[in-house]
Amino acid sequence: MSGVTITDVAQRVGVSVATVSRYLSGFNVRQRDEIENAIHELNYRPSAAARNLKSGRTGTIAIVVPDISNPFFAAIATGAETVAGEEHMVMLVNSGAIREREEKILGELFGRVDGVILSPLQEDDEGPSFFSKYGLPIVFVDRITADAEKFDSVLVDNVKGARLATEHLIQLGHQKIAMITGPLHTTPGRLRAEGYTSALRKQKIALQESYLIESDFTREGGYASMVKLLEDPNPPTAVITGNNFMSIGALEALKEKRVRIPDDISIIGFDDLDFSTLIEPGLTAVFRHFEAQGAEAMRILLARISALATNTELSPQHSVVDVHLIERGSCAPPTGLPAQSKS
Amino acid sequence: MSGVTITDVAQRVGVSVATVSRYLSGFNVRQRDEIENAIHELNYRPSAAARNLKSGRTGTIAIVVPDISNPFFAAIATGAETVAGEEHMVMLVNSGAIREREEKILGELFGRVDGVILSPLQEDDEGPSFFSKYGLPIVFVDRITADAEKFDSVLVDNVKGARLATEHLIQLGHQKIAMITGPLHTTPGRLRAEGYTSALRKQKIALQESYLIESDFTREGGYASMVKLLEDPNPPTAVITGNNFMSIGALEALKEKRVRIPDDISIIGFDDLDFSTLIEPGLTAVFRHFEAQGAEAMRILLARISALATNTELSPQHSVVDVHLIERGSCAPPTGLPAQSKS
DNA sequence: TACGCTCCTGCAATCGTTCTCAGTATTCCG
DNA sequence: CGGAATACTGAGAACGATTGCAGGAGCGTA
């Protein structure tokens, strides 16, 4: 700790702590220059803890995400920062997709931040919103919990995204379309699968069980799922991957097995890859604006915080970010897979 | 705010706040079950602010980095988390490569965290270490400041990495080797350039001014620098890019200009790309273990914190993480660039 | 010079904990 | 059952800031 407190500054100048405090909060004070000097000479820094305790405000907002290494979540934070302004410092916390850690983190954040932007781990759980009930402003981003209609949220149009992808493939003539989705107890995992199945149903294409694979949003999961699809006795002619990491894993599997894209199989990723232009062919993908989602979440959170401060009623905001399809070279009409090469 | 305090719990059970406090810190207490119940029923959460104020400890460690969207820094955080344990919560803060923000952040962090892992923006500046002098434990990671020998740090062997890359190209027969490096006022920018120039000198290859380009670690910077090199009247036959983002930018430029790798130009990246296997040819790169760097930084920081707590003397630790070259397909003996195609 | 007004000041309470200290209840043993 | 040792308890002073309140300095005006 710095050791030097407001009292030291006050003594040095010969005023009361109250005066120094007032100087710090911008009031007019007679000995402002002396105080300023003393602060510099002593290298005084106000104790955040003491301030928080007295004022109840922290000037801090936390963003809690399941995977800090996913560029998507980094972009959420970046977007949120652009809106936060001078008032608030933004911190990113990694729950590491571990339920207990998420719980613990939220508990510790209580009283340490003015609000939280959270991407909760599971839908079938009211843990996170629980905190919100007891006064910690929370905005859900990208994922929600079961009782989320009562709380602020910013989602992407998952169903539409998956539908766009599926319909695009159907239009190209594909009938055997597979989807590698994330865990079904997460919002994007569930809704993207839903978009896929509903698009199939609408086009009267029967859903084949083995074509809908529930994976885990990781590269390894994408790889394993793709391998599984390739080993299917009746392999699909097109695949939709449920997020960026799984796209990478699936592409790796295809490359390794020397399955040509789009000749042998077509592939669409949910979420664009930031190196899409570097791979051959470019990956057709469902695009959404990451930063916009983060910015929107922050806007809603700040509104919520000030509503809380002024005791204003404010009904839950539910924002949905639009998506569209970016066509590159990874999709073509089906021709059927060649005989499997056991390499 | 939660509103419910330790006093409420104490009253409900009919004990003193001291007893509840003791229960919270794990002491044996007669009415432990009653207290536990009351805490649950009232949904009491201890105020972090009050705790910090009294105990001086926060249980929080901040990692302050210049660019949260760079996977390298995300990996630093991930690595650090593995070591932090239950005691400490790790938060990632983005300085956005803005000097004033870094300063402000450090100031606000003072008293709010037990220690900081920092990747400072500029070497020619003592701002960050200044905080360390006044009692905030800081470990520099990846970058240092001018007076860094007095403080803990974890660096990668930048000079060796750049030297390995340069020598590899020389061995292949290249003489016209260019380097796109980061800002020379940053540690990796400066040291990687140094490794490059010293390797050239050792092999008695004259350094050509236009071959050493100081860029900014961004994708756009890498792109622009590569374009500049290609437009050189006497273009290089090999290029080393100074970080991951600039590698992507450079590769984009090459692809766009239809320069073939490694036929027309060889390229080595400093830092591996996590999709290296997906591009054709694979990128030869200087590899370092990101997470290990973060883990090492956290280890040193925890040691520093406990040294401070126990008033133990502890001389500054300087850790250097080793690197090695991963050879893929992006390098070959030089054949000279074809005539430039103005596309 | 006297009066009132404004502006600034210091005192002291307060935020929600932790922790020392002294005291009371409980246990253990002979 | 008595006494000492042990285990737990409560009162109250911190921690470092903010803030309401009442009072004092300085100013302008008559």
Side-chain angles (χ1 to χ4, degrees):
Chain A
M1 297 307 105
S2 154
V4 26
T5 76
I6 199 172
T7 313
D8 301 320
V9 177
Q11 282 182 348
R12 173 133 184 166
V13 180
V15 292
S16 73
V17 293
T19 302
V20 179
S21 171
R22 276 186 272 257
Y23 163 83
L24 289 172
S25 20
F27 284 83
N28 237 340
V29 158
R30 264 192 272 280
Q31 323 209 39
R32 43 175 302 165
D33 295 342
E34 290 88 331
I35 294 179
E36 165 128 26
N37 283 340
I39 287 177
H40 264 93
E41 285 166 26
L42 297 174
N43 186 36
Y44 162 74
R45 313 257 153 200
S47 147
R51 253 186 195 178
N52 299 173
L53 178 57
K54 193 66 183 75
S55 67
R57 295 254 216 63
T58 67
T60 301
I61 283 167
I63 304 181
V64 182
V65 300
D67 183 5
I68 208 174
S69 70
N70 189 330
F72 165 65
F73 290 115
I76 289 284
T78 308
E81 271 175 2
T82 60
V83 180
E86 290 293 294
E87 298 275 286
H88 294 278
M89 172 156 122
V90 177
M91 311 182 113
L92 193 56
V93 186
N94 189 24
S95 69
I98 299 167
R99 192 63 198 80
E100 296 77 39
R101 281 223 348 218
E102 179 185 69
E103 172 100 31
K104 190 180 166 216
I105 287 168
L106 287 175
E108 303 214 339
L109 249 26
F110 216 120
R112 199 176 296 215
V113 299
D114 294 335
V116 172
I117 292 176
L118 172 71
S119 205
L121 291 177
Q122 303 185 6
E123 292 199 322
D124 48 3
D125 187 2
E126 306 200 346
S129 52
F130 170 84
F131 287 94
S132 184
K133 256 177 239 160
Y134 286 91
L136 179 64
I138 291 189
V139 175
F140 293 120
V141 68
D142 196 53
R143 305 180 179 198
I144 54 176
T145 55
D147 55 352
E149 74 281 356
K150 299 193 226 95
F151 305 95
D152 299 319
S153 68
V154 178
L155 290 180
V156 71
D157 200 336
N158 288 299
V159 173
K160 176 179 171 186
R163 196 153 32 78
L164 284 179
T166 312
E167 284 168 358
H168 179 68
L169 291 168
I170 293 173
Q171 270 166 25
L172 283 173
H174 289 274
Q175 295 273 323
K176 302 197 282 182
I177 303 170
M179 169 154 212
I180 302 172
T181 191
L184 293 174
H185 63 252
T186 67
T187 310
R190 182 175 58 84
L191 292 180
R192 288 171 198 175
E194 206 172 298
Y196 159 79
T197 52
S198 78
L200 288 183
R201 201 166 25 221
K202 206 162 154 194
Q203 303 292 327
K204 312 238 189 279
I205 299 179
L207 169 67
Q208 183 174 329
E209 286 285 329
S210 64
Y211 283 180
L212 176 55
I213 299 192
E214 177 179 1
S215 187
D216 61 359
F217 284 141
T218 70
R219 182 175 181 158
E220 294 73 25
Y223 178 91
S225 303
M226 192 71 226
V227 168
K228 204 160 139 198
L229 285 173
L230 291 176
E231 287 171 350
D232 196 295
N234 178 26
T237 59
V239 178
I240 302 167
T241 48
N243 84 332
N244 49 5
F245 284 159
M246 295 198 298
S247 298
I248 297 179
L251 289 171
E252 281 180 320
L254 290 174
K255 180 160 188 188
E256 200 177 298
K257 303 284 182 191
R258 299 183 201 286
V259 180
R260 290 167 307 159
I261 308 169
D263 313 55
D264 299 333
I265 198 167
S266 290
I267 179 167
I268 299 185
F270 202 111
D271 278 353
D272 202 11
L273 302 174
D274 56 2
F275 52 90
S276 284
T277 53
L278 288 181
I279 56 176
E280 199 61 57
L283 182 71
T284 294
V286 176
F287 178 87
R288 57 168 157 171
H289 201 300
F290 291 174
E291 284 81 4
Q293 221 175 321
E296 177 72 358
M298 181 60 85
R299 241 175 263 122
I300 293 178
L301 181 59
L302 293 178
R304 173 67 49 199
I305 290 172
S306 79
L308 198 77
T310 58
N311 246 317
T312 316
E313 204 60 45
L314 186 61
S315 61
Q317 312 273 303
H318 302 293
S319 185
V320 175
V321 172
D322 198 22
V323 298
H324 64 269
L325 200 68
I326 296 188
E327 291 185 42
R328 295 204 183 87
S330 67
C331 295
T335 56
L337 279 175
Q340 283 176 241
S341 66
K342 296 270 178 196
S343 67
Chain B
M1 300 307 104
S2 153
V4 25
T5 77
I6 198 173
T7 312
D8 300 320
V9 177
Q11 282 184 347
R12 173 132 182 164
V13 180
V15 294
S16 73
V17 293
T19 303
V20 179
S21 172
R22 274 186 274 257
Y23 164 82
L24 289 172
S25 20
F27 284 83
N28 237 340
V29 158
R30 263 192 272 279
Q31 323 210 39
R32 42 176 302 166
D33 294 344
E34 289 88 330
I35 294 178
E36 165 128 28
N37 283 340
I39 287 177
H40 264 93
E41 285 166 27
L42 297 174
N43 186 36
Y44 161 74
R45 312 258 154 198
S47 147
R51 252 182 196 183
N52 300 172
L53 177 58
K54 190 66 182 85
S55 67
R57 295 256 214 62
T58 65
T60 302
I61 282 166
I63 303 180
V64 182
V65 300
D67 183 5
I68 207 173
S69 70
N70 189 330
F72 165 66
F73 290 115
I76 289 284
T78 308
E81 271 174 2
T82 61
V83 180
E86 289 293 295
E87 299 276 286
H88 294 278
M89 172 158 122
V90 177
M91 311 183 111
L92 193 57
V93 187
N94 189 23
S95 68
I98 299 167
R99 191 63 197 81
E100 297 76 40
R101 280 223 348 217
E102 181 185 66
E103 172 100 33
K104 191 181 166 217
I105 288 168
L106 287 174
E108 304 214 337
L109 249 26
F110 216 121
R112 200 175 297 216
V113 299
D114 294 335
V116 172
I117 293 176
L118 173 70
S119 205
L121 292 176
Q122 303 185 7
E123 292 199 324
D124 48 4
D125 188 0
E126 305 200 348
S129 51
F130 170 83
F131 286 93
S132 184
K133 254 177 244 160
Y134 286 92
L136 179 63
I138 291 189
V139 174
F140 293 120
V141 67
D142 196 53
R143 305 180 179 198
I144 54 176
T145 57
D147 55 354
E149 73 281 356
K150 299 195 227 91
F151 305 96
D152 299 318
S153 67
V154 178
L155 289 181
V156 71
D157 200 337
N158 287 298
V159 172
K160 176 178 172 187
R163 196 152 34 77
L164 284 179
T166 313
E167 283 168 358
H168 179 67
L169 291 168
I170 293 173
Q171 270 165 24
L172 283 173
H174 290 274
Q175 294 274 323
K176 301 195 283 182
I177 302 169
M179 169 155 214
I180 302 172
T181 192
L184 293 174
H185 60 78
T186 68
T187 310
R190 181 174 61 81
L191 292 181
R192 289 170 197 176
E194 208 172 295
Y196 159 77
T197 53
S198 79
L200 289 183
R201 202 168 22 221
K202 204 162 155 194
Q203 303 291 328
K204 312 237 189 281
I205 299 179
L207 170 66
Q208 183 174 328
E209 286 285 330
S210 64
Y211 283 180
L212 178 55
I213 299 191
E214 179 179 0
S215 187
D216 61 358
F217 284 140
T218 69
R219 182 176 181 156
E220 294 74 26
Y223 179 90
S225 304
M226 192 72 227
V227 167
K228 206 161 138 197
L229 285 173
L230 292 176
E231 287 171 350
D232 195 296
N234 179 23
T237 60
V239 179
I240 302 166
T241 48
N243 85 332
N244 49 3
F245 283 160
M246 295 198 298
S247 298
I248 297 179
L251 289 172
E252 280 180 320
L254 291 174
K255 179 160 187 186
E256 199 177 301
K257 303 285 183 194
R258 296 181 204 288
V259 180
R260 290 168 306 159
I261 307 168
D263 313 54
D264 300 333
I265 199 166
S266 291
I267 179 167
I268 299 185
F270 203 111
D271 279 351
D272 202 11
L273 302 174
D274 57 2
F275 53 88
S276 285
T277 52
L278 288 181
I279 56 176
E280 201 62 54
L283 181 71
T284 294
V286 177
F287 178 85
R288 58 169 157 168
H289 201 299
F290 292 173
E291 282 82 4
Q293 222 176 321
E296 176 73 358
M298 181 59 85
R299 242 175 261 123
I300 294 179
L301 180 60
L302 293 178
R304 171 69 49 200
I305 290 172
S306 80
L308 197 79
T310 59
N311 246 317
T312 317
E313 204 61 44
L314 185 61
S315 61
Q317 313 273 303
H318 302 292
S319 183
V320 175
V321 172
D322 197 24
V323 299
H324 64 269
L325 199 67
I326 295 187
E327 292 185 43
R328 293 204 185 86
S330 67
C331 296
T335 55
L337 280 174
Q340 284 176 243
S341 65
K342 297 271 176 195
S343 67

